Tab-separated table of all heavy atoms in Angstrom:
chain	number	residue	atom	x	y	z
A	1	MET	N	0.841	-1.176	0.000
A	1	MET	CA	0.000	0.000	0.000
A	1	MET	C	0.894	1.251	0.000
A	1	MET	O	1.914	1.301	0.674
A	1	MET	CB	-0.873	0.004	1.245
A	1	MET	CG	-1.751	1.224	1.370
A	1	MET	SD	-2.775	1.167	2.841
A	1	MET	CE	-1.751	2.028	3.992
A	2	TYR	N	0.478	2.236	-0.767
A	2	TYR	CA	1.234	3.479	-0.807
A	2	TYR	C	0.905	4.347	0.406
A	2	TYR	O	-0.253	4.536	0.754
A	2	TYR	CB	0.925	4.262	-2.080
A	2	TYR	CG	1.613	3.687	-3.295
A	2	TYR	CD1	0.935	2.869	-4.178
A	2	TYR	CD2	2.953	3.953	-3.528
A	2	TYR	CE1	1.572	2.321	-5.280
A	2	TYR	CE2	3.602	3.412	-4.617
A	2	TYR	CZ	2.908	2.596	-5.489
A	2	TYR	OH	3.556	2.059	-6.568
A	3	VAL	N	1.944	4.859	1.027
A	3	VAL	CA	1.785	5.816	2.119
A	3	VAL	C	1.849	7.231	1.551
A	3	VAL	O	1.045	8.087	1.884
A	3	VAL	CB	2.889	5.611	3.184
A	3	VAL	CG1	2.852	6.703	4.224
A	3	VAL	CG2	2.753	4.246	3.828
A	4	CYS	N	2.801	7.452	0.666
A	4	CYS	CA	2.998	8.769	0.050
A	4	CYS	C	2.812	8.646	-1.463
A	4	CYS	O	3.646	8.033	-2.143
A	4	CYS	CB	4.392	9.289	0.387
A	4	CYS	SG	4.798	10.864	-0.386
A	5	ILE	N	1.745	9.227	-1.940
A	5	ILE	CA	1.440	9.173	-3.371
A	5	ILE	C	2.393	10.084	-4.150
A	5	ILE	O	2.856	9.736	-5.236
A	5	ILE	CB	-0.021	9.608	-3.628
A	5	ILE	CG1	-0.988	8.704	-2.866
A	5	ILE	CG2	-0.331	9.597	-5.115
A	5	ILE	CD1	-0.918	7.252	-3.231
A	6	CYS	N	2.708	11.236	-3.604
A	6	CYS	CA	3.561	12.204	-4.321
A	6	CYS	C	4.915	11.609	-4.691
A	6	CYS	O	5.475	11.930	-5.735
A	6	CYS	CB	3.763	13.457	-3.484
A	6	CYS	SG	2.267	14.415	-3.220
A	7	HIS	N	5.450	10.750	-3.822
A	7	HIS	CA	6.776	10.182	-4.053
A	7	HIS	C	6.729	8.670	-4.236
A	7	HIS	O	7.782	8.019	-4.227
A	7	HIS	CB	7.718	10.554	-2.906
A	7	HIS	CG	8.011	12.015	-2.856
A	7	HIS	ND1	8.891	12.636	-3.703
A	7	HIS	CD2	7.476	13.000	-2.095
A	7	HIS	CE1	8.921	13.934	-3.439
A	7	HIS	NE2	8.064	14.177	-2.467
A	8	ALA	N	5.521	8.111	-4.379
A	8	ALA	CA	5.348	6.667	-4.592
A	8	ALA	C	6.106	5.842	-3.558
A	8	ALA	O	6.823	4.904	-3.879
A	8	ALA	CB	5.759	6.283	-6.009
A	9	VAL	N	5.925	6.219	-2.287
A	9	VAL	CA	6.582	5.501	-1.194
A	9	VAL	C	5.576	4.544	-0.572
A	9	VAL	O	4.471	4.937	-0.215
A	9	VAL	CB	7.108	6.481	-0.121
A	9	VAL	CG1	7.723	5.727	1.042
A	9	VAL	CG2	8.115	7.440	-0.733
A	10	THR	N	5.983	3.299	-0.443
A	10	THR	CA	5.086	2.283	0.105
A	10	THR	C	5.282	2.110	1.610
A	10	THR	O	6.308	2.518	2.160
A	10	THR	CB	5.336	0.919	-0.572
A	10	THR	OG1	6.664	0.493	-0.235
A	10	THR	CG2	5.162	0.998	-2.077
A	11	GLU	N	4.296	1.470	2.224
A	11	GLU	CA	4.374	1.163	3.651
A	11	GLU	C	5.597	0.291	3.931
A	11	GLU	O	6.290	0.479	4.929
A	11	GLU	CB	3.095	0.444	4.082
A	11	GLU	CG	3.066	0.089	5.544
A	11	GLU	CD	1.790	-0.629	5.933
A	11	GLU	OE1	0.800	-0.586	5.175
A	11	GLU	OE2	1.791	-1.257	6.998
A	12	LYS	N	5.868	-0.647	3.030
A	12	LYS	CA	7.019	-1.536	3.202
A	12	LYS	C	8.327	-0.746	3.234
A	12	LYS	O	9.201	-1.022	4.058
A	12	LYS	CB	7.045	-2.561	2.063
A	12	LYS	CG	8.135	-3.586	2.182
A	12	LYS	CD	8.033	-4.601	1.057
A	12	LYS	CE	9.127	-5.650	1.169
A	12	LYS	NZ	9.038	-6.644	0.085
A	13	GLN	N	8.449	0.257	2.365
A	13	GLN	CA	9.655	1.088	2.352
A	13	GLN	C	9.794	1.865	3.657
A	13	GLN	O	10.897	2.015	4.186
A	13	GLN	CB	9.615	2.073	1.186
A	13	GLN	CG	9.819	1.438	-0.170
A	13	GLN	CD	9.631	2.463	-1.279
A	13	GLN	OE1	8.515	2.861	-1.569
A	13	GLN	NE2	10.727	2.879	-1.878
A	14	VAL	N	8.675	2.373	4.164
A	14	VAL	CA	8.722	3.129	5.428
A	14	VAL	C	9.119	2.202	6.568
A	14	VAL	O	9.974	2.547	7.390
A	14	VAL	CB	7.369	3.816	5.718
A	14	VAL	CG1	7.377	4.466	7.098
A	14	VAL	CG2	7.058	4.855	4.647
A	15	ARG	N	8.519	0.997	6.595
A	15	ARG	CA	8.868	0.052	7.669
A	15	ARG	C	10.354	-0.305	7.614
A	15	ARG	O	11.025	-0.371	8.651
A	15	ARG	CB	8.011	-1.215	7.578
A	15	ARG	CG	6.614	-1.003	8.116
A	15	ARG	CD	5.829	-2.291	8.286
A	15	ARG	NE	5.202	-2.694	7.040
A	15	ARG	CZ	5.512	-3.792	6.348
A	15	ARG	NH1	6.404	-4.631	6.790
A	15	ARG	NH2	4.880	-4.059	5.228
A	16	GLN	N	10.885	-0.509	6.414
A	16	GLN	CA	12.308	-0.845	6.277
A	16	GLN	C	13.177	0.320	6.746
A	16	GLN	O	14.183	0.122	7.434
A	16	GLN	CB	12.633	-1.197	4.824
A	16	GLN	CG	14.073	-1.628	4.610
A	16	GLN	CD	14.434	-2.884	5.397
A	16	GLN	OE1	13.746	-3.891	5.289
A	16	GLN	NE2	15.487	-2.813	6.200
A	17	ALA	N	12.788	1.540	6.392
A	17	ALA	CA	13.555	2.722	6.803
A	17	ALA	C	13.538	2.875	8.328
A	17	ALA	O	14.545	3.241	8.928
A	17	ALA	CB	12.998	3.969	6.130
A	18	VAL	N	12.393	2.585	8.955
A	18	VAL	CA	12.308	2.637	10.414
A	18	VAL	C	13.253	1.601	11.023
A	18	VAL	O	14.006	1.893	11.956
A	18	VAL	CB	10.857	2.428	10.897
A	18	VAL	CG1	10.810	2.272	12.423
A	18	VAL	CG2	9.975	3.590	10.453
A	19	ASP	N	13.254	0.396	10.456
A	19	ASP	CA	14.177	-0.639	10.941
A	19	ASP	C	15.631	-0.214	10.774
A	19	ASP	O	16.489	-0.601	11.564
A	19	ASP	CB	13.943	-1.949	10.190
A	19	ASP	CG	12.680	-2.658	10.636
A	19	ASP	OD1	12.110	-2.279	11.687
A	19	ASP	OD2	12.250	-3.591	9.921
A	20	ASP	N	15.901	0.590	9.764
A	20	ASP	CA	17.264	1.058	9.513
A	20	ASP	C	17.620	2.287	10.340
A	20	ASP	O	18.712	2.845	10.200
A	20	ASP	CB	17.455	1.377	8.024
A	20	ASP	CG	17.405	0.116	7.167
A	20	ASP	OD1	17.556	-0.990	7.716
A	20	ASP	OD2	17.197	0.252	5.943
A	21	GLY	N	16.681	2.756	11.194
A	21	GLY	CA	17.001	3.837	12.124
A	21	GLY	C	16.302	5.155	11.898
A	21	GLY	O	16.471	6.087	12.677
A	22	ALA	N	15.531	5.282	10.825
A	22	ALA	CA	14.794	6.529	10.568
A	22	ALA	C	13.464	6.459	11.318
A	22	ALA	O	12.462	6.019	10.774
A	22	ALA	CB	14.569	6.721	9.076
A	23	THR	N	13.464	6.873	12.571
A	23	THR	CA	12.293	6.660	13.413
A	23	THR	C	11.455	7.919	13.629
A	23	THR	O	10.626	7.962	14.532
A	23	THR	CB	12.714	6.093	14.786
A	23	THR	OG1	13.669	6.982	15.368
A	23	THR	CG2	13.311	4.709	14.645
A	24	ASP	N	11.663	8.948	12.826
A	24	ASP	CA	10.791	10.118	12.896
A	24	ASP	C	10.526	10.643	11.484
A	24	ASP	O	11.191	10.257	10.520
A	24	ASP	CB	11.359	11.212	13.799
A	24	ASP	CG	12.753	11.665	13.377
A	24	ASP	OD1	13.075	11.583	12.177
A	24	ASP	OD2	13.510	12.113	14.240
A	25	VAL	N	9.532	11.516	11.373
A	25	VAL	CA	9.114	12.011	10.061
A	25	VAL	C	10.244	12.782	9.385
A	25	VAL	O	10.445	12.666	8.175
A	25	VAL	CB	7.844	12.869	10.182
A	25	VAL	CG1	7.504	13.524	8.856
A	25	VAL	CG2	6.675	12.024	10.655
A	26	LYS	N	11.004	13.547	10.148
A	26	LYS	CA	12.101	14.327	9.572
A	26	LYS	C	13.113	13.413	8.886
A	26	LYS	O	13.554	13.680	7.760
A	26	LYS	CB	12.786	15.148	10.672
A	26	LYS	CG	13.884	16.034	10.152
A	26	LYS	CD	14.485	16.856	11.282
A	26	LYS	CE	15.625	17.714	10.759
A	26	LYS	NZ	16.298	18.430	11.840
A	27	SER	N	13.475	12.329	9.545
A	27	SER	CA	14.430	11.386	8.966
A	27	SER	C	13.866	10.717	7.721
A	27	SER	O	14.568	10.550	6.723
A	27	SER	CB	14.796	10.309	9.991
A	27	SER	OG	15.365	10.882	11.132
A	28	LEU	N	12.583	10.351	7.788
A	28	LEU	CA	11.956	9.698	6.637
A	28	LEU	C	11.801	10.673	5.477
A	28	LEU	O	11.886	10.275	4.318
A	28	LEU	CB	10.603	9.114	7.045
A	28	LEU	CG	10.713	7.907	7.981
A	28	LEU	CD1	9.363	7.572	8.583
A	28	LEU	CD2	11.272	6.709	7.237
A	29	LYS	N	11.586	11.928	5.796
A	29	LYS	CA	11.491	12.952	4.756
A	29	LYS	C	12.825	13.070	4.021
A	29	LYS	O	12.862	13.126	2.793
A	29	LYS	CB	11.121	14.291	5.397
A	29	LYS	CG	10.873	15.409	4.425
A	29	LYS	CD	10.425	16.641	5.195
A	29	LYS	CE	10.117	17.802	4.289
A	29	LYS	NZ	9.652	18.981	5.054
A	30	GLN	N	13.914	13.055	4.759
A	30	GLN	CA	15.237	13.140	4.145
A	30	GLN	C	15.559	11.883	3.350
A	30	GLN	O	16.141	11.949	2.277
A	30	GLN	CB	16.300	13.364	5.221
A	30	GLN	CG	16.210	14.723	5.860
A	30	GLN	CD	17.157	14.874	7.045
A	30	GLN	OE1	17.613	13.897	7.616
A	30	GLN	NE2	17.423	16.118	7.410
A	31	LYS	N	15.151	10.737	3.878
A	31	LYS	CA	15.523	9.463	3.261
A	31	LYS	C	14.628	9.094	2.078
A	31	LYS	O	15.115	8.641	1.046
A	31	LYS	CB	15.475	8.365	4.326
A	31	LYS	CG	15.987	7.036	3.861
A	31	LYS	CD	16.167	6.093	5.029
A	31	LYS	CE	16.819	4.816	4.544
A	31	LYS	NZ	17.771	4.282	5.473
A	32	LEU	N	13.311	9.301	2.238
A	32	LEU	CA	12.365	8.833	1.217
A	32	LEU	C	11.564	9.951	0.548
A	32	LEU	O	10.916	9.723	-0.460
A	32	LEU	CB	11.377	7.838	1.850
A	32	LEU	CG	11.980	6.581	2.480
A	32	LEU	CD1	10.914	5.783	3.217
A	32	LEU	CD2	12.649	5.718	1.425
A	33	GLY	N	11.559	11.111	1.155
A	33	GLY	CA	10.809	12.226	0.591
A	33	GLY	C	9.383	12.343	1.090
A	33	GLY	O	8.662	13.251	0.668
A	34	VAL	N	8.956	11.458	1.983
A	34	VAL	CA	7.580	11.514	2.472
A	34	VAL	C	7.313	12.861	3.149
A	34	VAL	O	8.153	13.390	3.871
A	34	VAL	CB	7.240	10.359	3.459
A	34	VAL	CG1	7.265	9.026	2.766
A	34	VAL	CG2	8.178	10.366	4.642
A	35	GLY	N	6.157	13.428	2.878
A	35	GLY	CA	5.750	14.678	3.509
A	35	GLY	C	6.384	15.932	2.930
A	35	GLY	O	6.162	17.022	3.440
A	36	SER	N	7.157	15.807	1.876
A	36	SER	CA	7.866	16.975	1.346
A	36	SER	C	7.117	17.692	0.224
A	36	SER	O	7.604	18.699	-0.274
A	36	SER	CB	9.263	16.575	0.868
A	36	SER	OG	9.175	15.641	-0.182
A	37	GLU	N	5.946	17.181	-0.149
A	37	GLU	CA	5.156	17.857	-1.184
A	37	GLU	C	3.860	18.383	-0.575
A	37	GLU	O	3.828	19.472	-0.049
A	37	GLU	CB	4.873	16.896	-2.338
A	37	GLU	CG	6.087	16.579	-3.177
A	37	GLU	CD	6.565	17.752	-4.007
A	37	GLU	OE1	5.732	18.548	-4.448
A	37	GLU	OE2	7.788	17.861	-4.197
A	38	CYS	N	2.811	17.588	-0.619
A	38	CYS	CA	1.505	18.059	-0.139
A	38	CYS	C	1.336	17.872	1.377
A	38	CYS	O	0.545	18.557	1.995
A	38	CYS	CB	0.380	17.353	-0.877
A	38	CYS	SG	0.203	15.614	-0.432
A	39	GLY	N	2.061	16.911	1.954
A	39	GLY	CA	1.988	16.665	3.387
A	39	GLY	C	0.834	15.791	3.841
A	39	GLY	O	0.691	15.525	5.031
A	40	ARG	N	0.031	15.307	2.931
A	40	ARG	CA	-1.120	14.475	3.319
A	40	ARG	C	-0.713	13.125	3.895
A	40	ARG	O	-1.518	12.463	4.528
A	40	ARG	CB	-2.029	14.256	2.120
A	40	ARG	CG	-2.743	15.504	1.696
A	40	ARG	CD	-3.677	15.231	0.550
A	40	ARG	NE	-4.122	16.488	-0.024
A	40	ARG	CZ	-4.587	16.628	-1.242
A	40	ARG	NH1	-4.676	15.588	-2.032
A	40	ARG	NH2	-4.965	17.789	-1.677
A	41	CYS	N	0.497	12.719	3.660
A	41	CYS	CA	0.942	11.401	4.103
A	41	CYS	C	1.533	11.410	5.509
A	41	CYS	O	1.877	10.351	6.025
A	41	CYS	CB	1.979	10.866	3.130
A	41	CYS	SG	3.387	11.982	2.942
A	42	ILE	N	1.656	12.544	6.117
A	42	ILE	CA	2.348	12.616	7.408
A	42	ILE	C	1.645	11.793	8.477
A	42	ILE	O	2.286	11.034	9.210
A	42	ILE	CB	2.538	14.087	7.845
A	42	ILE	CG1	3.546	14.751	6.910
A	42	ILE	CG2	3.002	14.173	9.296
A	42	ILE	CD1	3.744	16.230	7.143
A	43	GLN	N	0.336	11.889	8.577
A	43	GLN	CA	-0.385	11.114	9.591
A	43	GLN	C	-0.213	9.615	9.364
A	43	GLN	O	0.046	8.864	10.304
A	43	GLN	CB	-1.869	11.485	9.608
A	43	GLN	CG	-2.655	10.798	10.722
A	43	GLN	CD	-2.132	11.142	12.114
A	43	GLN	OE1	-1.842	12.292	12.401
A	43	GLN	NE2	-2.020	10.146	12.968
A	44	ALA	N	-0.350	9.183	8.115
A	44	ALA	CA	-0.176	7.761	7.806
A	44	ALA	C	1.252	7.312	8.108
A	44	ALA	O	1.480	6.204	8.616
A	44	ALA	CB	-0.528	7.497	6.349
A	45	THR	N	2.213	8.189	7.829
A	45	THR	CA	3.616	7.865	8.119
A	45	THR	C	3.826	7.702	9.619
A	45	THR	O	4.501	6.767	10.060
A	45	THR	CB	4.541	8.977	7.567
A	45	THR	OG1	4.357	9.067	6.154
A	45	THR	CG2	5.997	8.691	7.873
A	46	LEU	N	3.232	8.597	10.389
A	46	LEU	CA	3.348	8.490	11.853
A	46	LEU	C	2.763	7.176	12.351
A	46	LEU	O	3.319	6.535	13.254
A	46	LEU	CB	2.629	9.670	12.520
A	46	LEU	CG	3.336	11.017	12.413
A	46	LEU	CD1	2.406	12.141	12.875
A	46	LEU	CD2	4.619	11.022	13.226
A	47	GLU	N	1.642	6.759	11.765
A	47	GLU	CA	1.020	5.501	12.179
A	47	GLU	C	1.906	4.304	11.842
A	47	GLU	O	2.014	3.366	12.632
A	47	GLU	CB	-0.359	5.358	11.524
A	47	GLU	CG	-1.358	6.359	12.085
A	47	GLU	CD	-2.664	6.384	11.331
A	47	GLU	OE1	-2.899	5.487	10.494
A	47	GLU	OE2	-3.465	7.316	11.567
A	48	VAL	N	2.561	4.335	10.682
A	48	VAL	CA	3.463	3.242	10.309
A	48	VAL	C	4.677	3.229	11.234
A	48	VAL	O	5.105	2.164	11.693
A	48	VAL	CB	3.905	3.352	8.834
A	48	VAL	CG1	4.958	2.302	8.496
A	48	VAL	CG2	2.715	3.220	7.898
A	49	ILE	N	5.220	4.407	11.549
A	49	ILE	CA	6.352	4.485	12.485
A	49	ILE	C	5.952	3.878	13.823
A	49	ILE	O	6.676	3.056	14.388
A	49	ILE	CB	6.817	5.949	12.690
A	49	ILE	CG1	7.442	6.500	11.422
A	49	ILE	CG2	7.805	6.049	13.853
A	49	ILE	CD1	7.683	8.013	11.469
A	50	GLN	N	4.791	4.274	14.332
A	50	GLN	CA	4.333	3.770	15.631
A	50	GLN	C	4.162	2.260	15.605
A	50	GLN	O	4.609	1.560	16.512
A	50	GLN	CB	3.012	4.449	16.011
A	50	GLN	CG	2.528	4.090	17.396
A	50	GLN	CD	3.441	4.632	18.479
A	50	GLN	OE1	3.801	5.802	18.453
A	50	GLN	NE2	3.841	3.793	19.406
A	51	ALA	N	3.516	1.760	14.569
A	51	ALA	CA	3.286	0.310	14.464
A	51	ALA	C	4.610	-0.438	14.371
A	51	ALA	O	4.774	-1.493	14.992
A	51	ALA	CB	2.409	0.016	13.255
A	52	GLN	N	5.542	0.095	13.609
A	52	GLN	CA	6.813	-0.600	13.420
A	52	GLN	C	7.664	-0.546	14.679
A	52	GLN	O	8.313	-1.528	15.032
A	52	GLN	CB	7.573	0.000	12.236
A	52	GLN	CG	8.757	-0.810	11.799
A	52	GLN	CD	8.389	-2.189	11.267
A	52	GLN	OE1	7.231	-2.481	10.997
A	52	GLN	NE2	9.371	-3.047	11.148
A	53	THR	N	7.682	0.580	15.374
A	53	THR	CA	8.477	0.655	16.601
A	53	THR	C	7.849	-0.174	17.714
A	53	THR	O	8.559	-0.740	18.532
A	53	THR	CB	8.672	2.115	17.079
A	53	THR	OG1	7.406	2.746	17.194
A	53	THR	CG2	9.537	2.884	16.117
A	54	ASP	N	6.515	-0.289	17.721
A	54	ASP	CA	5.858	-1.162	18.696
A	54	ASP	C	6.187	-2.618	18.437
A	54	ASP	O	6.215	-3.432	19.366
A	54	ASP	CB	4.340	-0.973	18.655
A	54	ASP	CG	3.905	0.313	19.328
A	54	ASP	OD1	4.741	0.957	19.984
A	54	ASP	OD2	2.721	0.675	19.178
A	55	ALA	N	6.442	-2.966	17.164
A	55	ALA	CA	6.709	-4.350	16.801
A	55	ALA	C	8.136	-4.767	17.131
A	55	ALA	O	8.447	-5.951	17.181
A	55	ALA	CB	6.454	-4.551	15.302
A	56	GLN	N	9.018	-3.777	17.367
A	56	GLN	CA	10.413	-4.100	17.658
A	56	GLN	C	10.563	-4.432	19.135
A	56	GLN	O	9.922	-3.812	19.979
A	56	GLN	CB	11.314	-2.912	17.308
A	56	GLN	CG	11.352	-2.637	15.826
A	56	GLN	CD	12.145	-1.388	15.500
A	56	GLN	OE1	12.503	-0.636	16.378
A	56	GLN	NE2	12.380	-1.181	14.222
A	57	PRO	N	11.427	-5.385	19.460
A	57	PRO	CA	11.648	-5.725	20.867
A	57	PRO	C	12.268	-4.553	21.608
A	57	PRO	O	13.033	-3.779	21.044
A	57	PRO	CB	12.619	-6.904	20.811
A	57	PRO	CG	13.186	-6.901	19.453
A	57	PRO	CD	12.233	-6.179	18.562
A	58	ARG	N	11.901	-4.404	22.882
A	58	ARG	CA	12.392	-3.289	23.693
A	58	ARG	C	13.515	-3.711	24.620
A	58	ARG	O	13.742	-3.112	25.650
A	58	ARG	CB	11.231	-2.707	24.503
A	58	ARG	CG	10.176	-2.120	23.635
A	58	ARG	CD	9.049	-1.558	24.479
A	58	ARG	NE	7.899	-1.238	23.689
A	58	ARG	CZ	7.721	-0.095	23.068
A	58	ARG	NH1	8.603	0.835	23.162
A	58	ARG	NH2	6.633	0.102	22.363
A	59	TYR	N	14.199	-4.770	24.289
A	59	TYR	CA	15.312	-5.220	25.102
A	59	TYR	C	16.527	-5.421	24.206
A	59	TYR	O	16.413	-5.544	22.991
A	59	TYR	CB	14.969	-6.525	25.823
A	59	TYR	CG	14.627	-7.636	24.869
A	59	TYR	CD1	15.604	-8.451	24.343
A	59	TYR	CD2	13.300	-7.852	24.480
A	59	TYR	CE1	15.278	-9.454	23.450
A	59	TYR	CE2	12.971	-8.850	23.586
A	59	TYR	CZ	13.981	-9.652	23.079
A	59	TYR	OH	13.663	-10.636	22.189
A	60	TYR	N	17.665	-5.444	24.818
A	60	TYR	CA	18.905	-5.660	24.083
A	60	TYR	C	19.657	-6.795	24.743
A	60	TYR	O	19.745	-6.862	25.960
A	60	TYR	CB	19.748	-4.381	24.101
A	60	TYR	CG	19.049	-3.241	23.447
A	60	TYR	CD1	18.331	-2.324	24.200
A	60	TYR	CD2	19.058	-3.108	22.064
A	60	TYR	CE1	17.663	-1.281	23.582
A	60	TYR	CE2	18.396	-2.073	21.450
A	60	TYR	CZ	17.709	-1.155	22.215
A	60	TYR	OH	17.041	-0.140	21.605
A	61	GLU	N	20.199	-7.660	23.921
A	61	GLU	CA	20.996	-8.763	24.444
A	61	GLU	C	22.314	-8.184	24.964
A	61	GLU	O	22.991	-7.421	24.267
A	61	GLU	CB	21.257	-9.771	23.338
A	61	GLU	CG	21.860	-11.048	23.858
A	61	GLU	CD	21.899	-12.121	22.786
A	61	GLU	OE1	20.928	-12.192	22.011
A	61	GLU	OE2	22.883	-12.842	22.750
A	62	VAL	N	22.681	-8.515	26.170
A	62	VAL	CA	23.846	-7.936	26.809
A	62	VAL	C	25.087	-8.790	26.613
A	62	VAL	O	26.165	-8.286	26.351
A	62	VAL	CB	23.587	-7.721	28.324
A	62	VAL	CG1	24.830	-7.169	29.002
A	62	VAL	CG2	22.412	-6.799	28.527
A	63	ALA	N	24.963	-10.064	26.732
A	63	ALA	CA	26.151	-10.919	26.651
A	63	ALA	C	26.110	-11.850	25.476
A	63	ALA	O	25.179	-12.069	24.834
A	63	ALA	CB	26.288	-11.733	27.907
B	1	FES	S1	1.382	12.253	-0.293
B	1	FES	FE1	3.311	12.447	0.621
B	1	FES	S2	3.915	14.474	0.194
B	1	FES	FE2	2.045	14.236	-0.838
C-alpha cells in the first residue's frame, strides 16, 4: 500500500527505513521524501512508524 502518493513511497519502504534507524518524520522525509510535497501522508507515516516501533523488541541482548 502506498503511504505517500507524491513520491510513490510504500508502507514496506517506510517500515524498512524505520528498521534502519529513521524513526521520525524528519528522517523519513530526508531518506524517502515523504511529507515533502503536499503533506497528506504525514499522519499515515506516523502511524506506520508507531506500528513498526511497537513491533520491535524493547530489550537488548547484553552478553
Ligand atoms: S502524499 Fe506524501 S507528500 Fe504528498
Side-chain angles (χ1 to χ4, degrees):
M1 178 179 93
Y2 284 100
V3 173
C4 177
I5 301 300
C6 294
H7 293 283
V9 177
T10 65
E11 180 180 343
K12 184 177 180 180
Q13 288 175 286
V14 174
R15 282 191 276 114
Q16 183 61 53
V18 171
D19 285 347
D20 292 343
T23 56
D24 57 29
V25 173
K26 183 178 178 185
S27 300
L28 290 168
K29 185 176 182 179
Q30 291 173 340
K31 187 169 186 142
L32 300 173
V34 294
S36 62
E37 289 290 326
C38 71
R40 291 183 193 158
C41 57
I42 291 175
Q43 185 60 44
T45 300
L46 287 169
E47 291 172 11
V48 174
I49 292 169
Q50 185 67 48
Q52 191 64 13
T53 54
D54 284 350
Q56 293 175 350
R58 296 180 192 274
Y59 60 88
Y60 299 96
E61 190 171 322
V62 178

